[in-house]
């Protein structure tokens, strides 16, 4: 299949230099790099899980849309 890729000049130059150093074509180098990347699977969790927090006092959840309740919770040290 033929396709067109838009690569930065620096990236294309580095890939061409590496392919040449390995005695390969630019196409075969990119094919292998893409295959290896896809074989690793999805990377949606690359950054890790987001931290979660519990209230200092169990059961003290506050409706953040209720400004008064937020201030009361802050004043109470919750």
């Amino acid at each position: 299949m033929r396709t067109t890729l838009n690569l930065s000049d620096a990236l294309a130059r580095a890939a061409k230099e590496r392919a040449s150093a390995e005695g390969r074509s630019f196409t075969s180098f990119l094919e292998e790099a893409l295959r290896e990347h896809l074989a690793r699977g999805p990377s949606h969790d690359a950054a890790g899980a987001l931290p979660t927090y519990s209230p200092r006092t169990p059961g003290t959840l506050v409706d953040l849309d209720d400004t008064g309740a937020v201030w009361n919770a802050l004043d109470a040290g919750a």
Side-chain angles (χ1 to χ4, degrees), residues 15-78:
K16 287 179 181 182
E17 287 172 4
R18 176 78 63 89
S20 178
E22 295 177 7
R24 307 169 55 178
S25 70
F26 181 60
T27 298
S28 73
F29 179 81
L30 291 181
E31 284 178 348
E32 182 180 338
L34 187 55
R35 275 192 198 95
E36 288 176 4
H37 184 77
L38 291 173
R40 285 187 249 151
S43 60
H44 54 79
D45 196 23
L50 295 175
T52 58
Y53 301 93
S54 298
R56 291 183 201 150
T57 306
T60 57
L61 299 179
V62 177
D63 179 1
L64 297 178
D65 290 327
D66 183 348
T67 306
V70 171
W71 283 114
N72 289 338
L74 290 171
D75 289 339

